[in-house]
Each structure stands twice: as C-alpha cells, then as structure tokens.
Amino acid sequence: SNVNATDPQVNQAVLFIEREMDASNGFDWGFRVESGFGTDLLWAQSWNDQSFDWNAGKGDYNWALSALYATVGYKNLSVKVGKFGTLMGYESFQSTGKFFVSHAYQYGIEPLSTTGILAEYALGSNVTLLAGYSMGNDTWENRFGDSQIIGGVTADLTDKLSLSYMFNVGYEYDLTGNRASMNRLPNGFGGEAGAKKERIDNYYQTFVVNYQLTDRLAYALYSNYFQSEAKGYGHGKSYGVANYLTYKLSDKWEAGFRFEWMRDELRDGSEGADGQDYYEYTLGLKWSPLKHLTVLGEVRYDQAYKDSDGNNNIFDGGRHAEQFGGGISAIISF
C-alpha cells in the first residue's frame, strides 16, 4: 500500500463466496462475490465513475466490492459477466497471490477491474483466446458512457515456456474534479475542477513471458504499454519492462529478485514536457511456515530521472531522486 507506508496497517481483509465452474465434461456455471476492507481497497473501488462503493470508508481504510460476476461454460467455451479483474498486468492485487510486498511501477498504470463481458475459448490444451466488451475500467454504473474492447491470447509453447498478450482499447470520459484520473501513476491527465467532459482514447497492452529454467529457478518478463489521448489535455504514454527471478530454497522458503525500468511521457499540446525514467531493484523472501500463513519481506532501491536535468526528486518529500526502502507483510488465509 502507498498509504502511510511507514505505519503498521491492515492492507486487506477479504471475504468471498464462490462456486467454481468446471465445464470440462459439459455445461456448468459458477459465480464469485468478493468484498474487502483495508488500506489497499481504495484501488478496488468503483472510483472511475464514483458509483456504488465510492467513498465507502473512513480515513486510510476503505471498503470495496472488488468482484461480482457469474460464469457459464460448455466444454472449451466459457463466458464471464459482471465486475472482474482486469486482463492487464502480471502482479496480483490479492495478497495471497503476491511474492513481493511492493508492486512494480507498471502496476500503477493498469486498471484494477473492469465491468463487462468476457468470453474464453480453448484451442486444444495449449492456446486460449479471450475477447469481450468493457463498460469502463474501475467502474460499475458507467455513468460517462465508456466503451472498450478487451481480449488477448495465452499460449503454452512448451512444458516450461508460456506467454500471454492482453489488450484493452477504447474510450472513456473524464469530468475533472468529479472523477479520478485514469492513469494513476505517475502522471495522469487533469485540469481545472469543473472542466467540461472530455473523451479520452486509451490503449493498453500487457505482454508476459514465463519460463521455468530449472525445477527450482523460474524467470518471468512483464511489459506494459499505455497510451492516452484527450482533446485539450494533450497525450501521454507509459511503458516499461520488469524482470523476475524466483528460486525455491526449500518447501518453506523462496527468494526472488525484481528489476524494472519504466518510462513515462506526458505531452501537453505542442509544447511537450519532460520524459521521466523510473528504476527499481527489489530483493524478496517468501516464508510459508504453516499451511495458512505466509510472510513476505523485501528490500528495495528506487531511482527516478527526468530528461531535462537528470534528477527527479520525488522521494523523501521531494528531496531525493533515489531511495532505499523495505517492507514486511504477514498473510493469513482460511
């Protein structure tokens, strides 16, 4: 969480009700209702149209209905309808799916959820096609008329090598002062409060490669590209690459390393603006002493630079372009 990062806190307390679908032998159905409370749950709210669970919380702690969807399927085909996790990205929002305490920079330019319909079709056992329609990112009521096509493909090329490509393309409307910025980190379009509604054309893509180097050593490459254009605001784009190495030390211990570079560019009209580069190097340990208990720990080093004068002093209250940090997190599942 980016909320009071130096204080102990409850990031996520999540409950869900689920019926898992298994359509391998014929027709089946399922659903998931997931709700949570904590400092992370601000990002899981329907904050892009200020509907439903927006502003449900007090201070640093917020509530969100992070998933509400139903699925139906028949053999190789399944269809999901409702609010569900975005196709973009690689790192998990749920604590139970995380390896590192912190997230990569690229995680901040992804939507977290989408509301719409998504179809998945398995071409044999190695390739899956995805296609659907979204009524907007991090929304519920779609008050602004957002419209996007989502989809992608996953492929298991060998027993050890897999890849995926996902995309999200369409438009959203921004009513500045009443709606959160689409591009959360590090830059987003903005303007004066009460500015007239503007159409923002967005394109997202995520490319992921997973390769099992040995029985204990695994590698992953994760790359995001995001481009946005809005009349009167200018245009911007963010893109980068993150590399992950994880090594299984024993049944209870795993070690990991993440190295990432991300480039952020924002252009305002014809004048242009500084491009910015972000780097992070993270060492992590994952300890699973009990079946339902996992402890994550990490140390992290960050750098940030601008094209114009080099240093981008965004750390330590605007005093430094570099910083060391770390964190520890305990995850209890039941």
Side-chain angles (χ1 to χ4, degrees):
S1 174
N2 291 323
V3 179
N4 291 334
T6 59
D7 297 336
Q9 59 197 275
V10 177
N11 296 104
Q12 301 179 18
V14 178
L15 292 173
F16 67 89
I17 302 172
E18 181 179 45
R19 184 186 191 275
E20 293 186 355
M21 183 187 70
D22 182 4
S24 56
N25 296 319
F27 175 81
D28 199 10
W29 61 276
F31 69 90
R32 185 178 179 98
V33 181
E34 179 183 293
S35 178
F37 178 81
T39 56
D40 286 354
L41 271 298
L42 170 67
W43 308 114
Q45 290 181 331
S46 302
W47 50 266
N48 246 0
D49 60 5
Q50 291 203 9
S51 62
F52 192 34
D53 52 5
W54 174 255
N55 280 338
K58 184 177 181 180
D60 296 334
Y61 287 85
N62 292 271
W63 170 85
L65 191 63
S66 47
L68 178 61
Y69 63 83
T71 55
V72 294
Y74 181 76
K75 294 188 176 179
N76 291 356
L77 177 66
S78 67
V79 178
K80 180 186 297 183
V81 180
K83 180 180 179 180
F84 46 87
T86 177
L87 300 181
M88 301 296 100
Y90 173 70
E91 296 185 356
S92 171
F93 170 74
Q94 286 79 12
S95 294
T96 52
K98 295 174 68 174
F99 189 95
F100 297 98
V101 178
S102 65
H103 282 292
Y105 281 107
Q106 293 177 87
Y107 179 84
I109 64 175
E110 302 162 6
L112 186 62
S113 68
T114 189
T115 299
I117 182 170
L118 177 68
E120 299 186 28
Y121 183 76
L123 293 174
S125 59
N126 295 329
V127 178
T128 300
L129 303 178
L130 300 90
Y133 174 76
S134 167
M135 298 187 301
N137 297 313
D138 303 305
T139 64
W140 179 253
E141 294 178 3
N142 193 22
R143 294 165 54 199
F144 300 95
D146 300 346
S147 180
Q148 298 169 58
I149 300 299
I150 58 177
V153 59
T154 66
D156 295 325
L157 301 183
T158 69
D159 292 340
K160 297 183 177 181
L161 178 63
S162 66
L163 60 84
S164 69
Y165 166 77
M166 300 293 163
F167 69 87
N168 179 324
V169 58
Y171 57 85
E172 300 174 273
Y173 286 92
D174 178 62
L175 188 60
T176 307
N178 291 319
R179 184 182 181 196
S181 170
M182 189 54 228
N183 188 3
R184 302 197 303 264
L185 174 74
N187 280 327
F189 291 116
E192 297 299 323
K196 77 174 195 176
K197 187 186 297 185
E198 295 285 1
R199 169 170 163 164
I200 302 176
D201 296 309
N202 292 323
Y203 172 74
Y204 297 86
Q205 72 172 34
T206 295
F207 182 70
V208 176
V209 177
N210 284 288
Y211 186 56
Q212 191 70 37
L213 297 168
T214 69
D215 291 342
R216 293 175 176 266
L217 183 63
Y219 169 75
L221 180 146
Y222 151 54
S223 177
N224 269 350
Y225 179 87
F226 168 62
Q227 181 170 315
S228 188
E229 297 186 12
K231 181 181 178 182
Y233 292 170
H235 61 276
K237 57 184 176 181
S238 299
Y239 49 90
V241 176
N243 298 272
Y244 302 76
L245 277 175
T246 57
Y247 186 78
K248 192 174 182 63
L249 299 166
S250 68
D251 291 340
K252 296 183 178 182
W253 288 91
E254 291 181 76
F257 174 68
R258 179 180 65 203
F259 164 64
E260 179 192 22
W261 159 76
M262 193 188 82
R263 173 78 173 173
D264 182 65
E265 299 176 2
L266 180 67
R267 295 290 181 264
D268 183 10
S270 60
E271 295 181 3
D274 265 353
Q276 302 172 68
D277 293 286
Y278 300 83
Y279 300 87
E280 56 101 357
Y281 314 80
T282 305
L283 284 171
L285 276 177
K286 184 177 182 179
W287 179 41
S288 305
L290 302 172
K291 180 179 179 181
H292 298 290
L293 174 64
T294 300
V295 180
L296 307 179
E298 71 171 40
V299 291
R300 173 169 169 157
Y301 175 62
D302 291 83
Q303 298 171 301
Y305 302 104
K306 292 190 294 187
D307 289 349
S308 58
D309 57 7
N311 289 334
N312 186 10
N313 296 324
I314 62 171
F315 306 119
D316 192 20
R319 290 186 288 270
H320 300 289
E322 303 176 358
Q323 77 170 7
F324 279 101
I328 187 169
S329 177
I331 303 164
I332 301 172
S333 59
F334 55 91

